[in-house]
Structures are given as C-alpha cells and as structure tokens.
Amino acid sequence: MSGRAQLMWDEQVTGYDFGPGHPMDPVRLALTRSLVSAFGLDRAVEVVAAKPAGESTLRLVHREDYIEAVKAASADPAAADQSYGLGTVDDPAFAGMHEVSALIAGQSVAAAEAVWRGDADHAVNFSGGLHHAMPGAASGFCIYNDASLAIARLLELGAERVAYVDVDVHHGDGVQAAFWEDPRVLTISLHEHPRTLFPQTGWPQEVGAGAGEGAAVNVALPAGTGDAGWLRAFHAVVPELVADFRPQVLVTQHGADTHFEDPLAHLAVSLDAQRAAQVACHELAHEYAGGKWVALGGGGYEVVDVVPRSWTHLVGIAAGREIEPETLVPEGWRQEVFARTRQLGPGRMTDGRWPVGWASWESGYDPADRLDQAVLATRRAVFPLRGLLA
Ligand SMILES: [Zn+2]
C-alpha cells in the first residue's frame, strides 16, 4: 500500500529564521533533510523545489493589508507593525521574511496541486505546517498559513471535501479559523488542553458555524497525556469522522512537539507513537481519500533528538519505505549533528517504546478517566452534528 511520493524541498527554506535564541531553529529542517538523505529516502521519492506562493495565492487566505505589512517588515524589520503580530517576541521580523514564508507556502500549495492532479499520490512538506498564522496576523512562529493555503488551493481546483488532521501539540487555530464556516473542509485538531497551552483555543465546544457547523473538531488532551492515551484519543475520533466525510484529499500536520522531551509543551508522547500516528494517517488516506495525502511538518522544538527522526519516519512512510523503529541512525549523520550543534545525536530511530499499546474506544471507556472525559466531550459536541452516535 503506497504510491508515488514527492518531497517538497528547497534549501532556501532554512532561511525561515527568527534569530538566535528563538525556539524555531532552522537547523531542525536542515538536519531532517540530511537524515532523509542518510537513509537514501530522497532516491525513493521525487524531490521537488516549488516556486514561492504568489500574491494571488496568498490572498486565497490572507488579507491584502496583512501581506503588505509582511512585505514592509521584510524590507525593513525595524518598521514591523506589531498590530499585525509582526516584530513581536514570538514572531520577530527579519529581512526576507516575506520571501521565505511565501517559499514555504509555495511548497505546500504545490504539494496539494501535485496530489490533486495525480502527479503524485503523496507529497510531504516538512518545512510547512505553520498552522497558527491567521488571515490578518502572524501568530505562534507562523507568518503565512501554508496548510490553509494548500487547502484553499484544493478548493479553487474544484475539491468539494478536504479533511485536515492536525496532531501538533498546539491547536490548529489558524486553519480552523480560515474554514470556520466552510462545510467543504473538515478540520480535526488533537492538542494539549487550552487551559495549559498556547493558543488557549481548541475547546471541544468549538465546532464551526453557519454552514460549517460540525466541520471543526477539537480534542483537548490533559497535560501529561502519554502514548497510550494519545493514540486512543486519535483512534476514538479521527477514523470515524474521516470515514464518514469521505474526503477527496487528506491533509495532515505532524508537529513533533507532542514529544516528552519538547521544551514548549506538556504532553508525553514518544517518537514511536508519533510514527504510529503517521502510519495511521497514511492508511486513512488510502482507505478514504483515494490515496491522496499531503503531509506537513509543524511545531517541534527538540530540534536534534526528536524533529529529524520524526519527520524522516514521515518521509519513509510516504515513500513506501518505512524505517523500522530499531534501525540505527547512520553514523555520518550523527557526526554532522555534532559538527553543527555540539550535541550527540540519537542512536536509533526509536525511543524504545515500540510497539505502542493502546486500548480502542470500542473496548469501553472509564467516565472517571480524564483522557476519556476529553474524548467524550469531543464526541458529544460534534458527532451528533454529523449524524454520528456520540
Ligand atoms: Zn506546535
């Protein structure tokens, strides 16, 4: 079960750099790309460097005045307009920020086009998944929302049903906002509870509005949720909704910041569970979306130990060349890690939690368990709106 896959990559995306000390260190992208090479995965996929998203594409999601503000901050970072979220602690302005943000967006838009047209079955852009950017503002390390833009481009090309599944530890608020009233886009986000994490949204009661009521789904997981709970919640919510929705394309966001080592959040998910969720998304694409799968990166701030391994697994899955968890990390890559970061890279493609056990929702739930309460809140809020039993 696999198909032709594209990896979207242009070296210039590593210019998405908010500067020293910012958690989104572009070395995460460079190290991922070189680990993909170290496993020879770049010979199992077609590597494509797409053009930057142009203005007319950016305007599918973003307001014209915001794009102008990004361009102005890009040309003169000192003049960034904070009322657009630019030049802030989370989103410092830097020279060339418009160009590189549009380049990342262009990779996701081209991924969507390739999958829609059948040039590839799967396309991966691990530099994307910048899901917090709003139509009129930068937010949460995100300037242009490449995930929303890829979905908007699919709609422009004639797609009538696109499902978006976001497993980043943070709520996929920008994508939800872009399609809040649009029944053609089903957004499902699993994330740490808004009470304890940015962006403080993603409550189960957020279900969309107007014609889009019931097309936004949020699973707010208790801080501390580990592998078994995380996968249980995923499987208690996502497959049933996707099966019922019958998307023409599945777009997924694979932020690696759910990991127990991540410095910015409080879930306790391992690399092995992240890989299991990637495999599940791949299977969902084949079962319900004719194999059409656009897979994006996202957050992830343990930039040496976690992000490169997580997204290399993702590329392997899309390429039909899954890397077994026990596999040793190539020594040459570990040397590169040390040369670049003075850190020792991980030794294997596992956290030693494989195989990850979890109990299915069908096997029963415990009303006193906080994880089960979170799942039940989501099912009760949204399943009846879609004609499904909560
Ligand atoms: Zn995140």
Side-chain angles (χ1 to χ4, degrees):
M1 182 192 63
S2 105
R4 293 157 303 146
Q6 281 188 9
L7 172 63
M8 316 306 298
W9 178 258
D10 182 318
E11 195 70 41
Q12 302 294 321
V13 298
T14 58
Y16 192 81
D17 187 353
F18 293 111
H22 193 283
M24 203 174 228
D25 185 335
V27 79
R28 64 211 276 282
L29 301 178
L31 289 178
T32 301
R33 180 65 185 85
S34 59
L35 188 56
V36 164
S37 289
F39 279 112
L41 293 173
D42 51 350
R43 296 190 300 274
V45 297
E46 188 187 354
V47 181
V48 176
K51 288 182 305 186
E55 295 256 328
S56 60
T57 300
L58 294 174
R59 270 191 250 124
L60 292 175
V61 168
H62 293 290
R63 289 199 329 240
E64 203 166 343
D65 59 318
Y66 173 59
I67 299 168
E68 289 308 314
V70 175
K71 284 174 148 181
S74 186
D76 180 7
D81 184 342
Q82 294 201 350
S83 70
Y84 289 101
L86 300 164
T88 57
V89 173
D90 274 6
D91 301 281
F94 60 92
M97 91 189 296
H98 165 75
E99 287 75 14
V100 70
S101 302
L103 182 64
I104 289 173
Q107 307 311 305
S108 294
V109 168
E113 290 171 347
V115 164
W116 181 253
R117 292 178 177 141
D119 299 336
D121 295 316
H122 312 326
V124 180
N125 175 24
F126 60 73
S127 73
L130 303 175
H131 60 170
H132 295 305
M134 289 293 172
S139 176
F141 316 161
C142 304
I143 307 300
Y144 293 137
N145 196 316
D146 62 287
S148 294
L149 288 162
I151 294 167
R153 179 69 178 129
L154 289 168
L155 299 176
E156 189 182 48
L157 289 168
E160 290 164 343
R161 292 179 312 283
V162 179
Y164 172 75
V165 176
D166 183 323
V167 298
D168 191 286
V169 79
H170 301 94
H171 176 222
D173 57 341
V175 184
Q176 174 176 290
F179 305 105
W180 185 244
E181 296 189 42
D182 194 332
R184 296 173 298 175
V185 183
L186 173 68
T187 64
I188 308 174
S189 178
L190 283 88
H191 44 262
E192 182 179 330
H193 201 285
R195 228 182 258 122
T196 50
L197 195 66
F198 176 90
Q200 278 83 43
T201 56
W203 296 79
Q205 293 76 19
E206 295 171 30
V207 294
E213 190 182 33
V217 181
N218 288 288
V219 187
L221 300 164
T225 297
D227 290 352
W230 192 64
L231 290 175
R232 173 174 168 81
F234 179 97
H235 287 282
V237 172
V238 178
E240 199 174 339
L241 289 168
V242 171
D244 174 69
F245 187 69
R246 294 178 301 112
Q248 292 159 299
V249 183
L250 178 65
V251 179
T252 57
Q253 195 271 22
H254 296 272
D257 41 10
T258 49
H259 196 272
F260 55 80
E261 285 178 46
D262 195 273
L264 297 194
H266 325 93
L267 295 194
V269 172
S270 73
L271 183 75
D272 300 290
Q274 291 180 349
R275 179 183 180 281
Q278 295 164 359
V279 168
C281 288
H282 178 225
E283 288 174 357
L284 287 173
H286 278 281
E287 278 175 56
Y288 304 113
K292 292 189 183 299
W293 183 31
V294 175
L296 308 172
Y301 308 100
E302 206 336 288
V303 300
V304 170
D305 206 38
V306 176
V307 173
R309 289 188 298 161
S310 190
W311 295 345
T312 297
H313 276 304
L314 181 65
V315 173
I317 290 160
R321 292 258 307 268
E322 291 183 19
I323 298 169
E324 292 306 317
E326 282 302 321
T327 307
L328 288 168
V329 172
E331 190 51 38
W333 183 79
R334 300 184 75 214
Q335 286 167 8
E336 182 188 340
V337 166
F338 189 75
R340 278 179 181 259
T341 69
R342 298 287 138 192
Q343 291 183 55
L344 296 172
R348 288 186 190 268
M349 292 297 285
T350 179
D351 286 333
R353 306 268 183 100
W354 188 264
V356 183
W358 53 275
S360 77
W361 193 249
E362 292 71 31
S363 66
Y365 63 88
D366 175 2
D369 182 83
R370 287 172 68 223
L371 187 277
D372 284 1
Q373 287 168 3
V375 170
L376 204 55
T378 299
R379 290 181 61 107
R380 284 187 174 146
V382 79
F383 275 42
L385 295 171
R386 305 207 63 85
L388 301 170
L389 291 171

